[in-house]
Amino acid sequence: MEAGGLRFPRQRQVLFICIIWGVSLAGSEFGRYSVTEETERGSFVVNLAKDLGLAEGELAARGVRVVSDDNKQHLLLDSQTGDLFTNEKLDREKLCGSTEPCMLHFQILMDNPFQIYRTELRIRDINDHSPLFQDKEMVLKILENTAEGTTFRLERAQDSDGGLNGIQKYTINPNSFFHIKITDSDEGIIYPELVLDKVLDWEEQQELSLTLTALDGGSPPRSGTTTIRIVVVDVNDNAPQFAEAQYETQVKENSPVGSLIVKVSAGDVDSGVYAEVSYSFFDASEDIRTTFQINPFSGEIFLRALLDYELIKSYKINTQAIDGGGLSARCTVLVEVLDTNDNPPELIMSSLSNYIAENSPETVLAVFRIRDRDSGENGKMVCYIQDDLPFLLKPSVENFYVLMTEGPLDRESRAEYNITIAVTDLGIPRLKTQHNITVLVSDVNDNSPSFSQTVYTVFVRENNSPALHMGSVSATDRDSGTNAQITYSLLPPQDPHLPLNSLVSINADNGHLFALRSLDYEALRAFEFRVGATDAGSPALSSEALVRVVVVDENDNSPFVLYPLQNGSAPCTELVPRAAEAGYLVTKVVAVDGDSGQNAWLSYQLLKATEPGLFSVWAHNGEVRTARLLSERDAAKHRLVVLVKDNGEPPLSATVTLHVLLVDGFSQPYLPLPEVAADRAQADSLTVYLVIALTSVSSLFLFSMLLFVGVQLCRKNRDASVGRYPVPEGHFPGHLVDVSATGTVSQSYQYEVCLTGGSETSEFKFLNPVMPKSQTQGH
């Protein structure tokens, strides 16, 4: 909109011109009450509950308040009984001056629901002021040739009381020359006039003194007196004449002291001293005498004090001109005070709430009233708040406003709002008033705790000490206070067979996780469980996260030799033909390690040998082979000690002893031929026993291997389920073979064991192993 040539910003604004029509609430005239002035504080006025039709105590429930227009606490309301009392001695003259009737306007405000009643209190006057004349003596100069019946206007007395308690009549002491006549003015004010009953004679009496008494209408009446000194003047037959009977002028209320208001001028056609004119105020009130002054010689009227349009909007100044002979003339000066925009708008807060719970629906935060003591465009106002806030400013009646929320607020988005209520008038220059309100949003438990991760992975080395701090989980809550206090707990495991309470504990305050006992990688490689985080709100909110514990292997298992068996029984002797070439496979040491990773990578080396340099052990697979061609000079029996060592830190090892027998050939008898049939039968019997024993050992060995492979497959399946957990591994040498607890048989070998029945001496025939083509070609 545009006003006064200036454009307002587009904001939430409401323009008040003369009367505000209710938007959301309606006000109404309610009642009129009265009280006598100067009554003691606490005097009963009325029972509002009865007038409003409300039960006793309902006023307090509805939050009833009494607000005066002048924002002063003249009245006091007992919200329990509904009685309205005076809060101070009320002085009608201070409140209303000479205005009659004296009305004190106030509003009755209700909150639940919001309602306004406008009413008024009349202050009844008592006769507590006496009439008072401005001058203790009035001098009246009268020509001796003045005709009988001539009237002389006298200055009236002033009485602060009003109505019947004001001045009702004037009297004068008995005399033979004058009597008093009462005259009513247009404003309803009576003036005393002195009427000449008998012609004066200067030669007989030059002066006489009269007592003028003013009486008010009180009971008993009060009075005031002044003396009228009559000076009989020799004949002066021309009185002064004003150029205008009435002067009119306008002056701005912000005019400085000493400003010229108007100049009055009167002339006298007489000569000499009778033509000398002096000017003065006539019958001027105290307000006029303190506000204006007149130059007695020039007739210029100056401003003696600052004007205030809001207090007095116009002045009527009676001015007289008196010549040297005592004759006078009178004129009226009407001074209209022009309003300037010298009063900023006012904001009067009736109720205010600085706290609101988040998620609350539309809520009233403040009720206030605005006013501007200026008039016209200077008194028109616009009220608004910032656009970027979730609040509404709704106008009501009688310049009242309601500040409320647009909808629910979220403390986690914003916990504090600073609202500036601005009121601007439309005067030139525009004056502005601001009122700042801080609104704090209190917390409601509407946010669940949130874990920093949905899945936590914790690595723990086996053989840990009990009460080991494994790791921590952490959750945060966007709420505040007790609503953000988090307690951690272990949730029941999904696997009923997992003894979670004996494995792990959690610190309820900080989420630290502790291992309750030592873990064994070979028994339990990984497990998982859920943890919960619960806040202390009401009702409490919670969330959960998954924790996966991966047990990291340590080198706590030494290698175990599967073949040859080291069970304290008769050692197994390996037969090697003397015609064997270099690299001939004598046997294979098979070992396993219960650990995993580099801790289970096995290497083999020949620790001791009866004849060093004759045999060698392959480090990566445990194969024992001849290192050179055999000769007749080589001993027939050899004892080899093989060391099996893992790659752990520190490494663990085991030893195995091998017995090797060199024979001349599988076709030549190993033992001398028997010469009797009994020896042959005994040999045949021995052969059968050897075959049975070999079959049993082979079957047991095959069964053990199948069982071991099955167990390892199960472990691999289980490892596959936790294979996504990264397990740190070191750098391992390339010649090592990870047997993964299955021994060192990483390639397929086939051995033929044949019993030659046709020969005179039974013997075992060891053939070369059947190897894959890629390996046999290499040999």
Side-chain angles (χ1 to χ4, degrees):
M1 73 176 62
E2 294 186 1
L6 297 176
R7 181 180 298 274
F8 271 94
R10 294 178 62 106
Q11 297 173 318
R12 300 177 199 166
Q13 303 175 347
V14 179
L15 179 63
F16 289 81
I17 302 176
C18 294
I19 300 175
I20 298 181
W21 296 93
V23 176
S24 60
L25 304 169
S28 62
E29 295 289 335
F30 178 67
R32 294 190 174 116
Y33 310 104
S34 64
V35 65
T36 303
E37 71 166 327
E38 301 297 336
T39 55
E40 291 297 323
R41 181 179 182 272
S43 299
F44 176 80
V45 178
V46 71
N47 186 283
L48 286 182
K50 185 181 296 184
D51 275 19
L52 292 170
L54 301 177
E56 185 172 332
E58 191 174 352
L59 288 179
R62 296 192 61 180
V64 177
R65 303 183 303 283
V66 174
V67 180
S68 299
D69 272 0
D70 58 1
N71 204 30
K72 295 181 179 178
Q73 197 69 24
H74 300 297
L75 301 174
L76 185 64
L77 175 64
D78 188 339
S79 59
Q80 298 299 324
T81 63
D83 292 337
L84 187 64
F85 303 93
T86 59
N87 195 37
E88 61 183 4
K89 279 188 176 183
L90 300 176
D91 188 343
R92 190 200 71 84
E93 286 71 30
K94 287 184 178 180
L95 292 174
C96 301
S98 61
T99 303
E100 184 64 29
C102 178
M103 308 299 293
L104 177 63
H105 299 279
F106 65 95
Q107 291 84 32
I108 303 171
L109 273 69
M110 297 184 182
D111 287 339
N112 302 311
F114 186 79
Q115 197 168 3
I116 299 178
Y117 292 96
R118 181 173 178 84
T119 185
E120 57 190 18
L121 178 68
R122 178 175 180 177
I123 312 300
R124 296 193 299 269
D125 184 53
I126 62 173
N127 192 25
D128 56 344
H129 293 85
S130 299
L132 179 67
F133 289 93
Q134 296 290 337
D135 300 315
K136 295 299 182 182
E137 182 182 86
M138 289 186 288
V139 177
L140 192 63
K141 295 180 180 180
I142 302 177
L143 294 174
E144 63 177 344
N145 62 348
T146 302
E148 296 179 359
T150 303
T151 61
F152 301 93
R153 176 87 173 265
L154 302 177
E155 290 190 18
R156 63 183 178 90
Q158 305 287 333
D159 195 336
S160 298
D161 297 321
L164 292 177
N165 294 325
I167 297 175
Q168 300 297 320
K169 65 178 180 178
Y170 293 87
T171 62
I172 197 171
N173 60 306
N175 64 90
S176 59
F177 293 97
F178 299 93
H179 76 272
I180 287 297
K181 176 183 177 183
I182 305 300
T183 303
D184 292 330
S185 69
D186 295 336
E187 294 85 7
I189 301 174
I190 63 172
Y191 292 90
E193 291 184 346
L194 192 64
V195 180
L196 182 63
D197 295 330
K198 180 182 176 181
V199 176
L200 298 173
D201 188 355
W202 183 83
E203 286 74 18
E204 292 182 359
Q205 187 176 0
Q206 287 99 29
E207 288 187 8
L208 62 101
S209 181
L210 303 175
T211 299
L212 178 65
T213 302
L215 298 170
D216 62 21
S219 180
R222 291 174 177 264
S223 63
T225 61
T226 187
T227 299
I228 304 175
R229 187 163 62 92
I230 307 294
V231 177
V232 181
V233 180
D234 199 8
V235 174
N236 178 23
D237 45 355
N238 288 290
Q241 295 292 326
F242 278 97
E244 299 179 27
Q246 179 172 293
Y247 292 84
E248 296 182 0
T249 185
Q250 293 178 331
V251 58
K252 292 183 178 181
E253 64 173 326
N254 60 350
S255 299
V257 174
S259 299
L260 176 63
I261 303 302
V262 69
K263 180 179 180 180
V264 296
S265 178
D268 196 313
V269 296
D270 292 327
S271 61
V273 68
Y274 296 122
E276 296 178 358
V277 178
S278 63
Y279 302 92
S280 63
F281 293 142
F282 176 79
D283 191 24
S285 65
E286 184 67 22
D287 286 340
I288 292 178
R289 292 178 184 274
T290 57
T291 306
F292 303 96
Q293 65 180 7
I294 187 169
N295 188 317
F297 304 107
S298 65
E300 295 175 331
I301 298 177
F302 297 93
L303 192 61
R304 187 176 184 181
L306 292 177
L307 302 176
D308 190 350
Y309 173 85
E310 286 69 42
L311 293 179
I312 301 177
K313 296 177 174 56
S314 63
Y315 294 89
K316 183 179 180 181
I317 306 174
N318 295 320
T319 305
Q320 68 178 358
I322 303 176
D323 62 16
L327 298 181
S328 64
R330 297 180 182 86
C331 71
T332 302
V333 178
L334 298 180
V335 179
E336 181 185 359
V337 182
L338 299 180
D339 182 44
T340 58
N341 194 26
D342 59 342
N343 291 283
E346 299 177 44
L347 190 149
I348 305 165
M349 192 66 63
S350 298
S351 64
L352 174 64
S353 175
N354 295 101
Y355 295 89
I356 182 173
E358 66 172 329
N359 305 328
S360 298
E362 294 182 358
T363 305
V364 175
L365 295 175
V367 177
F368 61 92
R369 179 165 59 100
I370 61 174
R371 69 176 181 181
D372 195 313
R373 298 182 184 274
D374 296 319
S375 63
E377 291 295 318
N378 297 330
K380 296 177 182 179
M381 296 169 290
V382 176
C383 185
Y384 55 91
I385 60 174
Q386 305 102 301
D387 278 337
D388 58 344
L389 297 179
F391 299 96
L392 294 176
L393 197 60
K394 290 187 177 181
S396 182
V397 297
E398 296 290 338
N399 285 4
F400 275 91
Y401 277 87
V402 176
L403 177 66
M404 61 190 306
T405 59
E406 283 185 334
L409 302 178
D410 183 12
R411 188 202 67 83
E412 288 70 42
S413 298
R414 187 168 179 180
E416 179 179 328
Y417 293 90
N418 291 316
I419 306 172
T420 300
I421 304 175
V423 185
T424 304
D425 62 25
L426 302 184
I428 300 177
R430 291 181 177 145
L431 300 180
K432 181 178 182 180
T433 298
Q434 291 184 338
H435 187 86
N436 296 319
I437 298 175
T438 299
V439 177
L440 302 178
V441 184
S442 58
D443 185 50
V444 173
N445 192 28
D446 57 348
N447 289 279
S448 301
S450 176
F451 279 97
S452 59
Q453 300 174 219
T454 56
V455 178
Y456 293 84
T457 301
V458 178
F459 295 95
V460 182
R461 288 192 173 275
E462 66 171 329
N463 304 320
N464 59 285
S465 59
L468 173 69
H469 178 220
M470 301 189 302
S472 301
V473 295
S474 176
T476 56
D477 198 309
R478 296 180 63 198
D479 295 318
S480 64
T482 57
N483 296 331
Q485 295 177 2
I486 297 177
T487 301
Y488 300 92
S489 62
L490 297 177
L491 300 180
Q494 295 179 347
D495 184 1
H497 301 292
L498 180 65
L500 183 62
N501 291 333
S502 64
L503 290 174
V504 179
S505 70
I506 189 170
N507 188 312
D509 297 326
N510 53 30
H512 290 347
L513 296 171
F514 299 91
L516 295 179
R517 61 182 175 87
S518 180
L519 301 177
D520 185 5
Y521 172 84
E522 287 70 38
L524 181 64
R525 297 193 176 186
F527 62 94
E528 60 184 29
F529 57 91
R530 291 174 297 121
V531 294
T534 305
D535 60 29
S538 179
L541 301 178
S542 62
S543 61
E544 62 181 59
L546 182 66
V547 178
R548 292 173 177 163
V549 179
V550 179
V551 182
V552 180
D553 181 48
E554 283 193 347
N555 192 27
D556 58 347
N557 289 281
S558 300
F560 177 75
V561 178
L562 295 177
Y563 182 84
L565 294 177
Q566 303 290 305
N567 55 4
S569 61
C572 179
T573 302
E574 305 293 341
L575 303 180
V576 177
R578 288 185 180 273
E581 297 179 354
Y584 176 83
L585 178 62
V586 177
T587 186
K588 180 179 177 68
V589 177
V590 179
V592 295
D593 196 307
D595 297 317
S596 67
Q598 69 177 11
N599 296 328
W601 288 23
L602 304 180
S603 62
Y604 304 82
Q605 68 182 69
L606 185 60
L607 188 62
K608 292 181 181 180
T610 305
E611 186 176 345
L614 182 57
F615 299 96
S616 64
V617 177
W618 286 21
H620 66 282
N621 59 10
E623 292 181 353
V624 180
R625 297 177 179 270
T626 58
R628 58 178 175 79
L629 292 175
L630 303 178
S631 67
E632 293 296 336
R633 292 191 300 271
D634 293 324
K637 294 181 180 181
H638 295 269
R639 181 176 177 271
L640 307 178
V641 179
V642 178
L643 177 68
V644 183
K645 183 173 64 173
D646 61 25
N647 197 47
E649 186 64 37
L652 301 179
S653 62
T655 58
V656 60
T657 302
L658 302 177
H659 296 275
V660 180
L661 181 62
L662 301 183
V663 296
D664 291 333
F666 293 115
S667 61
Q668 298 179 358
Y670 174 63
L671 297 175
L673 294 174
E675 296 183 359
V676 293
D679 293 338
R680 178 180 292 239
Q682 184 179 0
D684 293 339
S685 175
L686 179 60
T687 301
V688 173
Y689 292 149
L690 289 175
V691 170
I692 294 174
L694 181 59
T695 302
S696 300
V697 171
S698 300
S699 300
L700 181 61
F701 177 73
L702 180 60
F703 177 75
S704 300
M705 292 296 293
L706 291 176
L707 179 61
F708 186 77
V709 170
V711 171
Q712 292 305 312
L713 288 176
C714 293
R715 289 190 178 181
K716 285 186 176 180
N717 291 334
R718 186 170 61 183
D719 291 343
S721 65
V722 297
R724 56 185 176 274
Y725 311 146
V727 178
E729 297 183 3
H731 177 73
F732 306 112
H735 67 278
L736 299 180
V737 176
D738 185 2
V739 298
S740 301
T742 60
T744 58
V745 184
S746 58
Q747 299 174 347
S748 298
Y749 291 88
Q750 297 179 2
Y751 295 91
E752 291 186 30
V753 180
C754 300
L755 182 61
T756 57
S759 61
E760 292 182 353
T761 303
S762 298
E763 63 183 72
F764 288 100
K765 181 180 180 184
F766 287 83
L767 302 181
N768 289 332
V770 180
M771 303 175 63
K773 293 182 179 181
S774 61
Q775 295 184 5
T776 56
Q777 291 176 358
H779 296 293

